[in-house]
Amino acid sequence: MEIRPLHDRVIVKRLAAERTTSSGIVIPESAGDKPDQGEVIAVGPGRRDDQGKLIPMGVKVGDKVLFGKYSGQAVKIEGDEFLVMREDDIMGVLA
């Protein structure tokens, strides 16, 4: 299924959390925090300013991004979990 977000919304898939510490200790999934990094799966066309002009998005499909721990709304599509959030919820793009 293909999904197209509206306005300035972005669909993000969380990246897998690191499960081993630098000293080699394995952290169980239930004890770890949800990762705050993800990959952009789809982006909307952008938002409109007061004059109706389209402001393009600053992220694109495939970008690795940082977002807040409680950002976005979790949705399940065909068994996979995604986050739908506004572009403003994204704190940065990883290089």
Side-chain angles (χ1 to χ4, degrees):
M1 173 186 284
E2 208 169 300
I3 186 164
R4 181 178 52 92
L6 300 176
H7 308 294
D8 66 336
R9 289 187 173 80
V10 178
I11 298 180
V12 175
K13 183 168 185 155
R14 287 186 193 268
L15 295 177
E18 184 68 36
R19 299 198 177 177
T20 306
T21 64
S22 59
S23 60
I25 298 172
V26 177
I27 301 171
E29 186 173 326
S30 61
D33 289 337
K34 289 185 178 181
D36 54 359
Q37 298 179 16
E39 180 179 357
V40 175
I41 303 300
V43 296
R47 66 181 165 158
R48 300 215 176 254
D49 63 10
D50 294 336
Q51 289 77 34
K53 183 179 175 188
L54 186 67
I55 300 170
M57 299 289 276
V59 295
K60 62 186 182 305
V61 174
D63 282 348
K64 305 279 192 272
V65 294
L66 292 174
F67 49 87
K69 185 179 270 192
Y70 302 107
S71 296
Q73 176 69 38
V75 294
K76 278 196 173 187
I77 301 171
E78 294 181 353
D80 292 326
E81 188 171 317
F82 299 97
L83 291 171
V84 179
M85 62 182 71
R86 293 195 178 273
E87 184 183 28
D88 292 342
D89 293 335
I90 296 174
M91 294 186 278
V93 177
L94 298 170

